Amino acid sequence: MRRLPPLTAIEAFVAVARLGSVKLAAQELALSAPALSRRVQTLERFLGRPLFDRRHQAMVPNSDGDRLLAQIAPVLDQLSDAVESMTSAVDVVRLRLGVLPLFASQRLFPRLAELRATHPELHLDIDTAGHGVARLGEGLDAVIALARDIDPALYAQRLDRNMVYVIGSRTLVERPDPITRPEQLATLTALVHRDMPDTFAAWREAAGLADIEPMAVDHFDSGALMLEAAAQGLGIAFMHESHFQDAADPRLVKLFDIEVVSPYSYWFVCRPRALQLKPVRIFRDWLIDTLGSNAV
């Protein structure tokens, strides 16, 4: 039998590579930072090469580390799932899902009880860290992504089509000089999500206002915070119709009756071979049946 490095060293390597920090990985594995570092060094000595570029505040896998992570991380996850299923009172299957927080809170979580009732064996590990598509196979089994399109090498199922709404505080239409005309955009701050940078440009072109500029453009990486900023009168948010409808926030109103198709959609994405995994198939089928009705 081939000699293998200690499993604890492999576990430590994967944790550091995924989190980019010895401190965070040590917390996750309930170890001291020096103890975790020693385990990583054990693996490096076993392989006879370094696996990380060590920086002041971060540990970044080098080319050898990236290659090793891609090969062993899925195997370690499968091993963990197998052990958990053997020690659990029920036959648990687990899905590591990447999802944006706003989609999770507005559209996914309100329906998860239905999924649990139908498939009590399926449990979700939720990851909202972003850039999920790039991490498929390295800690994530599947992702609900917001994008224009998806790499054709991946399996992707569109979940919706949407309109771009201009969302603002109700006070904007109730004040003495209400905001009723698109030209008044020049007096306002536009709020744009970093994952949807073209929503403002698409809306402006459809409105025939290609030359008009807002007072400023503020960028957010949180849809929930964008909606709150709009409700507080800090700017007008260029977001999806579904974001507005699902928020059901009486402080918010849709501004301007201009129909603009969004260039972005929500997608279910995974690697093609991941469809062989039971939790991926269960969740994919349920998600499309439950939330994918607006994808025509």
Side-chain angles (χ1 to χ4, degrees):
M1 179 180 291
R2 293 181 182 178
R3 192 167 65 93
L4 295 175
L7 180 59
T8 53
I10 295 174
E11 182 183 42
F13 162 73
V14 171
V16 174
R18 284 175 169 171
L19 296 173
S21 164
V22 169
K23 179 180 178 181
L24 294 177
Q27 291 174 350
E28 181 173 283
L29 298 178
L31 295 169
S32 68
L36 185 72
S37 295
R38 286 193 294 272
R39 292 188 180 185
V40 172
Q41 291 165 5
T42 296
L43 181 61
E44 291 178 320
R45 286 195 299 271
F46 183 91
L47 297 173
R49 65 189 69 188
L51 299 173
F52 292 94
D53 291 329
R54 288 166 169 80
R55 302 174 184 174
H56 178 60
Q57 295 292 339
M59 294 274 284
V60 180
N62 58 23
S63 58
D64 287 330
D66 281 333
R67 187 167 68 252
L68 182 63
L69 180 67
Q71 292 174 338
I72 70 171
V75 177
L76 185 63
D77 290 335
Q78 292 172 15
L79 177 61
S80 177
D81 290 346
V83 171
E84 181 176 1
S85 67
M86 292 297 293
T87 57
S88 175
V90 297
D91 186 15
V92 171
V93 293
R94 188 169 297 279
L95 176 73
R96 292 169 288 269
L97 178 68
V99 60
L100 293 173
L102 190 60
F103 185 96
S105 63
Q106 287 189 337
R107 300 177 64 182
L108 183 61
F109 280 19
R111 307 297 294 271
L112 281 184
E114 301 171 21
L115 176 61
R116 181 60 57 82
T118 306
H119 294 283
E121 76 279 15
L122 179 63
H123 288 257
L124 304 182
D125 289 336
I126 300 293
D127 187 317
T128 62
H131 305 292
V133 172
R135 294 187 291 126
L136 285 171
E138 297 180 7
L140 294 179
D141 302 313
V143 171
I144 298 175
L146 182 63
R148 279 180 168 272
D149 48 39
I150 301 296
D151 184 341
L154 298 172
Y155 171 85
Q157 178 73 46
R158 190 192 300 268
L159 299 177
D160 70 359
R161 295 186 187 273
N162 245 295
M163 308 297 290
V164 178
Y165 270 28
V166 184
I167 305 168
S169 169
R170 185 173 296 277
T171 59
L172 293 176
V173 298
E174 294 179 346
R175 67 188 196 183
D177 55 336
I179 300 297
T180 58
R181 294 174 291 106
E183 292 80 5
Q184 292 172 287
L185 177 65
T187 67
L188 301 169
T189 296
L191 310 178
V192 177
H193 199 289
R194 294 188 187 279
D195 288 337
M196 303 169 63
D198 296 332
T199 48
F200 171 59
W203 180 88
R204 185 171 60 174
E205 181 177 350
L209 299 169
D211 296 329
I212 198 168
E213 295 290 342
M215 185 172 64
V217 178
D218 293 351
H219 293 88
F220 285 67
D221 65 359
S222 166
L225 291 181
M226 281 180 68
L227 290 171
E228 184 60 29
Q232 296 288 347
L234 302 180
I236 55 174
F238 289 79
M239 300 181 71
H240 279 174
E241 174 186 4
S242 63
H243 296 145
F244 174 75
Q245 300 291 355
D246 292 339
D249 189 333
R251 299 173 299 166
L252 296 171
V253 295
K254 174 193 175 186
L255 300 172
F256 319 127
D257 290 323
I258 299 175
E259 294 291 319
V260 178
V261 177
S262 175
Y264 300 96
S265 294
Y266 282 106
W267 303 77
F268 172 84
V269 188
C270 66
R271 292 186 173 185
R273 65 174 180 267
L275 291 173
Q276 301 174 21
L277 302 175
K278 180 179 178 181
V280 174
R281 293 197 307 271
I282 291 175
F283 184 79
R284 186 272 313 267
D285 293 346
W286 172 83
L287 183 71
I288 293 172
D289 289 344
T290 305
L291 300 179
S293 60
N294 294 323
V296 296

